[in-house]
Amino acid sequence: MAALAAVKESLTDIPGSNFFATWDFTAPDPCSTFSGITCSLGRVTTLTLGTGLSNSRGLAGFLCPSVSNLTELTQLVLYPGLVTGPIPPQLGLLRNLRVLSLTNNRLKGPIPSSLSSLANLHTLDLSYNQLTGTVPPGLFTELAQLKVLILASNQLSGELPRIVSAEILHLDLKDNRLAGALPLRLPSTIRYLSASNNMMWGPLNGLQSLSELEFLDLSMNQFSGPIPSSLFRPALSSLFLQRNNLSGGVPSSLPSPLMYAEGSIVDLSHNFLTGELPPVLAAVEALFLNSNRLTGRVPEEYAKNVYGGSTKTLYLQHNYITGFPLEAGLGLPDTVSLCLTYNCMVPPVGFRGCPAASDGEQLSRPESQCLAFSHGRSIP
């Protein structure tokens, strides 16, 4: 009761929210009357702060250390609001905690290293706050039960550990200030991995063995070197590597084309990919290869899927492509966007489905650029 009273003292309803309306400490049994509380054998086991309803503005205040006196807690959830201040290090005392979710508030300061002692933790979500400092390495190495780790949209810095031993399924680190290379070893269990919009660099190591991976977003970093051929497989149906410094080509030694399913998306745009485009990505529904250094003619498999409508988006603008196979008298489906501008060819009339930013640009590259590139000279 004292811990619950301290929680109510440290938090308040933002006008328009009435979460604490039921917290009447004269009631005989808070377990049956307090909103956001579930009990077992007279002990609080889940504490959900806020309603989470779209018409509720949530709570303000701070998280009090007394929450740690609810020692039987298995879930602690804070819904979006204006809660500020640090995450109490005392939360590391909640040894039964399986879910800790404190998203979409204004929490500040570092992630307490004490959270690495929560041996039963399954889900940790601290996203969309104002947290700073490095990520405690113990979150990646000491939590044997951890499956979901979401730290997106904070101000976290520093580097990731070289080895991630926790068998994580879902890891989201996007929109931070993380630097350094990818871990040399990531868990083979991982299915969702995002570290986009950070300041990470180096080769794409540690990804080859991720056979369960279904979603990968490493866009808007400074990764370099070739793309591992193991990332080109239909099971990895969402692949975002755009706006890096990746080089080399799309592997031509793979089966052609790979049988990507409906809804697949591959974005390799704004890199330094070179060579001719092999057929391996022809079945991708949304394919972005624009702003690279690709050359040669586009294989017929791509045109077939564009005309057939199974490929909805194909962006090839701003490369050095010399030809696209057209079928005389056959138009594109209305659902298809095909962009071929600013290559070493003249795009066919009526086949422009370019984004608005491409409108008004030159249809083709200057011939001098195409000649210089084909002869390996620097482009003026």
Side-chain angles (χ1 to χ4, degrees):
M1 288 293 286
L4 292 175
V7 169
K8 189 174 186 300
E9 184 70 22
S10 64
L11 296 169
T12 183
D13 282 298
I14 299 173
S17 172
N18 61 350
F19 171 75
F20 283 118
T22 62
W23 282 44
D24 179 3
F25 284 89
T26 64
D29 183 15
C31 289
S32 60
T33 58
F34 282 27
S35 59
I37 287 179
T38 302
C39 297
S40 176
L41 302 176
R43 301 295 302 278
V44 178
T45 55
T46 69
L47 176 58
T48 304
L49 298 169
T51 64
L53 299 175
S54 59
N55 61 352
S56 173
R57 298 184 62 193
L59 306 176
F62 65 95
L63 285 175
C64 65
S66 298
V67 173
S68 63
N69 292 329
L70 301 172
T71 55
E72 295 300 311
L73 272 185
T74 60
Q75 295 188 41
L76 174 57
V77 176
L78 173 65
Y79 277 120
L82 300 177
V83 178
T84 188
I87 298 173
Q90 292 85 349
L91 295 185
L93 299 173
L94 296 171
R95 299 304 168 87
N96 296 310
L97 206 60
R98 286 184 50 78
V99 175
L100 177 57
S101 177
L102 310 173
T103 68
N104 282 272
N105 278 275
R106 297 182 180 179
L107 297 172
K108 300 179 180 180
I111 300 174
S113 59
S114 60
L115 300 185
S116 301
S117 63
L118 297 174
N120 293 303
L121 199 62
H122 175 282
T123 299
L124 176 60
D125 188 351
L126 306 177
S127 58
Y128 296 93
N129 281 289
Q130 299 170 16
L131 300 172
T132 55
T134 59
V135 181
L139 297 184
F140 297 105
T141 58
E142 298 178 22
L143 300 178
Q145 303 299 316
L146 190 66
K147 296 294 183 285
V148 178
L149 178 57
I150 306 175
L151 305 176
S153 296
N154 281 285
Q155 299 167 27
L156 299 169
S157 58
E159 299 186 9
L160 300 180
R162 304 310 292 144
I163 295 177
V164 177
S165 56
E167 295 186 348
I168 298 174
L169 302 177
H170 184 113
L171 178 59
D172 192 347
L173 304 170
K174 68 174 176 284
D175 298 332
N176 278 287
R177 299 173 182 174
L178 298 172
L182 286 171
L184 289 173
R185 195 172 79 203
L186 288 158
S188 60
T189 53
I190 198 164
R191 298 175 184 171
Y192 180 108
L193 173 58
S194 177
S196 67
N197 197 23
N198 279 283
M199 297 181 289
M200 300 183 70
W201 49 266
L204 299 182
N205 290 331
L207 301 175
Q208 289 86 342
S209 61
L210 304 184
S211 58
E212 302 296 315
L213 200 59
E214 299 172 358
F215 181 102
L216 177 64
D217 188 354
L218 300 178
S219 61
M220 292 182 283
N221 280 282
Q222 299 168 32
F223 291 114
S224 58
I227 302 173
S229 59
S230 60
L231 298 184
F232 297 101
R233 49 188 174 82
L236 181 50
S237 56
S238 297
L239 176 60
F240 300 94
L241 298 175
Q242 70 270 26
R243 297 186 183 276
N244 279 286
N245 298 319
L246 299 169
S247 58
V250 178
S252 58
S253 58
L254 298 170
S256 57
L258 296 173
M259 299 308 294
Y260 283 87
E262 184 178 356
S264 56
I265 179 169
V266 173
D267 193 341
L268 309 179
S269 63
H270 296 274
N271 280 289
F272 298 96
L273 302 180
T274 55
E276 296 190 7
L277 180 62
V280 293
L281 296 174
V284 175
E285 182 173 304
L287 179 59
F288 302 88
L289 294 167
N290 49 293
S291 300
N292 278 287
R293 297 178 176 181
L294 299 172
T295 57
R297 288 183 58 83
V298 176
E300 292 184 1
E301 290 88 342
Y302 291 88
K304 178 181 178 182
N305 288 326
V306 164
Y307 281 111
S310 59
T311 293
K312 306 292 186 186
T313 303
L314 180 57
Y315 281 2
L316 295 170
Q317 69 270 26
H318 284 259
N319 279 286
Y320 294 83
I321 291 170
T322 56
F324 187 87
L326 299 173
E327 296 189 27
L330 192 60
L332 293 178
D334 293 337
T335 57
V336 169
S337 293
L338 172 64
C339 188
L340 299 169
T341 58
Y342 213 68
N343 277 287
C344 297
M345 56 175 282
V346 178
V349 176
F351 279 73
R352 294 185 66 195
C354 299
S358 298
D359 290 344
E361 293 183 354
Q362 288 180 269
L363 292 181
S364 304
R365 277 189 182 276
E367 186 177 358
S368 59
Q369 289 189 11
C370 295
L371 289 173
F373 189 80
S374 66
H375 288 87
R377 298 195 298 271
S378 60
I379 298 171

